[in-house]
Amino acid sequence: MKEQIQVFQKIFNGEIFTDSLQTALYATDASVYRKIPLAVAYPKNARAIKQLVAFAEEHNTSLIPRTAGTSLAGQCVGEGIVVDVSKHFTKILAVDKENRTVTLQPGVIRDELNQRLKRFGLFFGPNTSTSNRCMIGGMVGNNSSGTTSIQYGVTRDKVLKLKTILSNGEEVVFEPLSKEDFLKKTELNSLEGKIYKTLYNELRSEATRQEIWREFPKPEIHRRNTGYAVDSLLNTSVFGNFNDEINLCKLLCGSEGTLAFTTEITLQLDLLPPKYTAMIATHYETLEACLNDVIVAMQHNLHTCEMMDDVILDCTKKSKTYEPYRFFVKANPKAILLLELKSESEENLQEQIAALQKSLALSKHSYHSPILRGAEIEMALELRKAGLGLLGNMVGDRKAVACIEDTAVALEDLPSYISEFSALMKKYGQQAVYYAHAGAGELHLRPILNLKEEEGVDYFRKITTDVAILCKKYKGSFSGEHGDGIVRAEFIPLMIGEKNYELLKRIKSAFDPQNIFNPGKIVNAYKMDESLRYAPGREEPKVETLMDFGDYQGILRLAESCNGSGDCRKNADSAGAMCPSYHATKNEKDTTRARANALREVLTNNESVNKFNSKELKEVFDLCLSCKACASECPSNVDISTAKAEFLYQYNKANGVSLSNKLFGKSTKLNKMASKFPKLSNWFFANGFTSKIIKNIGGVHQNRSLPKISIRNFSKEFQTIKNEYVTINNNNKKLILFIDEFSNYLDAEIAVDSFLLLTGLGYDVDVIDSLDSGRALLSKGFLEEAKLEANKNIAFLKQKVSENVPLIGIEPSAILSFRDEYLRLADDKESAKTISKNTFLIEEFLAAEIQNGTISAAQFTSEEKQIKIHAHCHQKSLSNQKVTFDILNLPKNYKPTIIPSGCCGMAGSFGYEKEHYDVSMKIGELKLFPVVRKATEDTLISANGTSCRHQILDGTGRKALHPVTILKNALL
């Protein structure tokens, strides 16, 4: 088949890949399943999709539609051609403000859509936990709901029109039809006509309709995706005495791409939510008390009624990102309800709050009910939304598995259903996880299983089967919003009855007689306990590493901790930096998820002695900037940056190191040599002829300027500086200032400013300027040398650094290595941990001193300054940006603002390298460069990373200052 695809590729209006890397990356989604596809296609337009349909029909293969690939049930995996529309089908085509509609392509991100709609006073209501990367096409395929469904409904309620391509290549629009127009459609001599005729003949039977009403979930359950939504077609003018038009979009919505391929979507929009908002976060000692209060709370006009249990809350304690979001949590609740109220006036909102508080007080179920306002509400909702990813943060092979996590029952049945569910879990020795949309009768309940073991897979089936039976008992929906996919499709006959299931099969056959579209989902289902990510009972691969990955139980489990939730696919306008390479290329290959997937695939299946010796891994890691955003922003804390360092080390052992990588990796020695003759060195770097030669040798892009060596060498001049600026130690605090290799040789003036600022503020400063942090070595995989540096530094500092004498650093990537990689490299683990706990970025130290009153605004100028702050990626990941804001906000009339930028794009040597220069500059242009260019000339640009300052200079022509320099210049 690959030969036919190669021929097809020549005429295909898009890109199509059959290589082992691309097919491995698309073998999984956010579910437990893995199927290697035949190929991966990126169609550019509807014509390309028609070409794919024709190819699939001719060669007896299938098409699996995909947008962000965040599906939990296996909808996006299959053995045919995965068709990814997320790259090219991204246009918002039209907004009709008067009728409150929008027409768009399926690859538009939900949050991006709402950002664009805001100026029209409109928004798209359904709101999933993946809203910053999930796409409208996927939301239609799954009939997504999210936190807002109790107020704004589900996606099915919002879809007005779908432009589709049928399985024979016909382009058909589905939209509202009167009975007369529907009947005319049945007379068409086409596949479209056959579809309408089949539906009419099937559903006109009173017996068929009664069977649907008898077996389908209760109609009051709004979240219902079990099978095809034929019940949604019944209360129309075609099949009863109703005035409502019929719209087959309701059938296609939730059909998981099994009936037609959607190319355009028209949605009904809502007016923006009311302005005034409050949230009551009720705390409960038992799950039963919480569920009973759901019924009480839902008698009020809530916009949100979300729940999270103690398992989710405990997960957030370990998350670098989400631990601060727990500010409102009191004691150790078994569960919390998040009850959101909205109004057009503050007065009415207060009345709603009082009424809800009164009801909750009368129920006497909760023990604490704080009221949240403003940004606090978003933090609480983010904490709940983080549940999906955080569940993947469990170390080891036991994971919270998506299989029964999508059941929905009528609200009045919820307490009894959960009681029986809990008893069922107890029978299986399970501590289930309870969270999500309590107000809609849906909780995402997950058993914790080890699917690498036969016993775990056996429980996987047994638990799913028993819960399906329980859900059927309450006439609930086994799939509320996550879809049937592979994991639940097998149970559809049980949930809706055999007769109705046979009806679904006939409908599928009418739409797709050759089974081209996403086979194995909904009807003729794949087995739910086959094609798993891991072969049950396998012998675990043994992977030796130089770095210590014990916190993950090995580097393979680091890769396996990625559950595919796709947070790394959020767009560049979202908060945070992850993932800069994807922001620039929009290729799945350049996401954190792809790197974790590739690492898992190779380390599991590579039979070589050196499992890292893989061209696929080299390709997938190539555009990783090692920004470390994934270490904190990924809910599962998948630290791909560290994994890349290990990969480079292992790969280099087998393949050697290029001259360029040697020069960059060992640049400290070169800079040290160059610092002996700084003026001569800088002449060579700046001269057009000699710099061109140097760039060619070093693999540097010709448009990139070379860094200048500091004319003043800090190590040489330190004693003179110290003697000239003797300061009385007036606060009895001693510290060690770590002058890293970048500050010493490239930014000596910043090292001087740091010393002068600290001594000027009265600190007793001991300077260490003879050590190399090893950052450059780490970046190029020279781990043996980096380990030597780490051990040397730990040995030198372990008797010097303590709680009373902290280690303070200037360059984030250098000083923060003591808190990060050194814990994996050092032989003396205890000393490394002690030093780590007492090592601080200079901004962190100064911000803490301001907080405790040691430093005050009176010590600084009252002159006015506007400052724009760009923080280093490692600071964002391992510390926070606020400390930089806090120190620059100290002078009375200084007005700093943080640029909402991600990675600057330089990332050490990355932006210098000729093969990466264009991507580097593209990343800079996403957010950072435009903000800097718009800043007035008298606005100071602050950047604490040496690479960041260089990137800003090359990209905008503006010289950025280290925040220490700005603060030192403000010192009286």
Side-chain angles (χ1 to χ4, degrees), residues 207-218 472 475 495-496 499-500:
T208 298
R209 295 199 298 272
Q210 288 302 319
E211 183 70 13
I212 292 169
W213 290 128
R214 181 166 49 252
E215 294 288 349
F216 266 59
K218 290 181 179 181
K472 179 64 175 177
K475 211 177 177 186
M495 301 309 299
I496 65 170
K499 288 183 180 179
N500 287 325

Side-chain angles (χ1 to χ4, degrees), residues 393-410:
N393 216 11
M394 297 177 178
V395 176
D397 294 331
R398 284 169 52 80
K399 302 288 184 186
V401 176
C403 56
I404 55 171
E405 89 295 348
D406 202 28
T407 60
V409 297

Side-chain angles (χ1 to χ4, degrees), residues 455-516:
E455 182 185 36
V457 176
D458 186 44
Y459 271 36
F460 182 48
R461 173 171 284 280
K462 286 179 177 177
I463 290 172
T464 307
T465 302
D466 284 354
V467 172
I469 293 168
L470 177 63
C471 187
K472 179 64 175 177
K473 173 184 173 180
Y474 285 92
K475 211 177 177 186
S477 175
F478 198 41
S479 173
E481 65 173 337
H482 293 164
D484 295 313
I486 297 173
V487 75
R488 283 178 284 273
E490 197 180 327
F491 299 93
I492 293 175
L494 167 67
M495 301 309 299
I496 65 170
E498 286 291 345
K499 288 183 180 179
N500 287 325
Y501 182 65
E502 290 301 317
L503 169 63
L504 300 196
K505 289 169 72 174
R506 293 193 294 274
I507 291 172
K508 164 69 172 176
S509 182
F511 272 90
D512 185 17
Q514 284 192 229
N515 204 22
I516 287 172

Side-chain angles (χ1 to χ4, degrees), residues 417-590:
Y417 172 74
I418 294 298
S419 177
E420 288 196 56
F421 177 87
S422 298
L424 185 60
M425 292 296 100
K426 190 174 181 181
K427 183 181 89 170
Y428 285 107
Q430 285 289 317
Q431 179 193 6
V433 180
Y434 302 86
Y435 76 106
H437 319 295
E442 176 172 16
L443 294 181
H444 295 326
L445 317 159
R446 297 188 181 210
I448 298 170
L449 302 170
N450 182 358
L451 294 186
K452 290 183 178 180
E453 295 179 352
E454 296 282 1
E455 182 185 36
V457 176
D458 186 44
Y459 271 36
F460 182 48
R461 173 171 284 280
K462 286 179 177 177
I463 290 172
T464 307
T465 302
D466 284 354
V467 172
I469 293 168
L470 177 63
C471 187
K472 179 64 175 177
K473 173 184 173 180
Y474 285 92
K475 211 177 177 186
S477 175
F478 198 41
S479 173
E481 65 173 337
H482 293 164
D484 295 313
I486 297 173
V487 75
R488 283 178 284 273
E490 197 180 327
F491 299 93
I492 293 175
L494 167 67
M495 301 309 299
I496 65 170
E498 286 291 345
K499 288 183 180 179
N500 287 325
Y501 182 65
E502 290 301 317
L503 169 63
L504 300 196
K505 289 169 72 174
R506 293 193 294 274
I507 291 172
K508 164 69 172 176
S509 182
F511 272 90
D512 185 17
Q514 284 192 229
N515 204 22
I516 287 172
F517 293 136
N518 212 6
K521 323 295 164 56
I522 299 184
V523 299
N524 302 314
Y526 295 130
K527 294 289 183 184
M528 61 85 67
D529 51 1
E530 295 178 359
S531 300
L532 301 172
R533 285 196 184 198
Y534 314 110
R538 76 180 192 185
E539 183 180 346
E540 279 298 298
K542 292 180 173 58
V543 184
E544 298 294 330
T545 59
L546 185 143
M547 298 179 90
D548 181 358
F549 290 93
D551 51 336
Y552 290 98
Q553 295 185 10
I555 192 171
L556 177 56
R557 286 190 176 90
L558 178 153
E560 291 173 351
S561 66
C562 172
N563 59 18
S565 62
D567 296 67
C568 45
R569 284 182 62 105
K570 63 186 179 182
N571 65 24
D573 291 329
S574 299
M578 184 175 69
C579 179
S581 53
Y582 175 72
H583 293 159
T585 70
K586 295 297 183 182
N587 290 327
E588 172 71 19
K589 174 180 70 69
D590 301 318

